[in-house]
Amino acid sequence: MNINTVLFRRLKRYIENQKTRTRLKRRLRGMPMREMDRLAWDIGTTRAELLREAHSPFWKTYR
């Protein structure tokens, strides 16, 4: 496998991941507060942290 193939595959995977992040953040922003509270409880976080993540740019993650 040559270097161009490897780089292309990595770039493709990176772009797919960014698209997924963008889609998930958009869904999180549109979620009703009650549902968001339930999600936050399920994953062990707070609504504020979910909202911060939802409104952050796709290239940033908060952990």
Side-chain angles (χ1 to χ4, degrees), residues 28-41:
L28 189 57
R29 284 192 302 266
M31 189 178 286
M33 289 298 160
R34 185 177 196 151
E35 193 174 331
M36 188 178 295
D37 288 340
R38 181 175 221 162
L39 174 65
W41 187 83

Side-chain angles (χ1 to χ4, degrees), residues 15-45:
I15 291 170
E16 289 170 356
N17 287 341
Q18 298 307 343
K19 285 181 181 181
T20 300
R21 277 182 156 173
T22 300
R23 187 182 75 246
L24 292 174
K25 287 175 185 260
R26 192 175 302 129
R27 285 181 61 191
L28 189 57
R29 284 192 302 266
M31 189 178 286
M33 289 298 160
R34 185 177 196 151
E35 193 174 331
M36 188 178 295
D37 288 340
R38 181 175 221 162
L39 174 65
W41 187 83
D42 284 346
I43 63 175
T45 188

Side-chain angles (χ1 to χ4, degrees), residues 28 33 36 46-56:
L28 189 57
M33 289 298 160
M36 188 178 295
T46 65
R47 182 196 305 172
E49 289 173 343
L50 288 178
L51 288 171
R52 184 177 67 189
E53 180 65 31
H55 292 288
S56 67

